[in-house]
Amino acid sequence: MGSFIAGNLGLAKTYWIFGVISSVILRFIMTFIIMSGINPIIAIVMGFAYSIIVWIAIWNSATNYDGLKLWAILAKISVVFGILGSLAQFNQ
């Protein structure tokens, strides 16, 4: 996990597998938890904790990225939008 958070798995893998695909799967799980009548705070905390770890990993992967800098910049912008989107949900 240390290698993941440090951004050593590569930007594409970190962004697409952990940032996109895993997040979609996690949202399905969270929706199931909420719809099954279990306390929704469990799903919210689980999703937010996962998001924080993935945001850090994506940011660090983008910083370590040696390819086209545009991809690193876009990845960091997506992290900022992800954080802002999460904060906006708490503001409702």
Side-chain angles (χ1 to χ4, degrees):
M1 182 136 152
S3 182
F4 171 66
I5 292 175
N8 296 330
L9 295 184
L11 180 58
K13 183 185 287 187
T14 303
Y15 184 86
W16 288 107
I17 293 176
F18 296 100
V20 177
I21 296 171
S22 295
S23 293
V24 169
I25 293 168
L26 181 63
R27 293 218 186 260
F28 280 119
I29 293 169
M30 290 171 56
T31 302
F32 175 76
I33 289 171
I34 292 169
M35 292 179 69
S36 67
I38 298 172
N39 188 346
I41 194 74
I42 295 169
I44 292 167
V45 169
M46 182 176 71
F48 195 64
Y50 179 80
S51 294
I52 290 170
I53 292 168
V54 170
W55 291 330
I56 293 169
I58 291 172
W59 191 274
N60 290 337
S61 291
T63 300
N64 297 338
Y65 186 63
D66 289 330
L68 184 66
K69 286 299 173 190
L70 176 65
W71 296 123
I73 292 167
L74 291 173
K76 287 184 175 185
I77 289 170
S78 75
V79 168
V80 171
F81 282 139
I83 292 168
L84 293 175
S86 292
L87 292 175
Q89 286 180 331
F90 284 119
N91 195 26
Q92 293 181 5

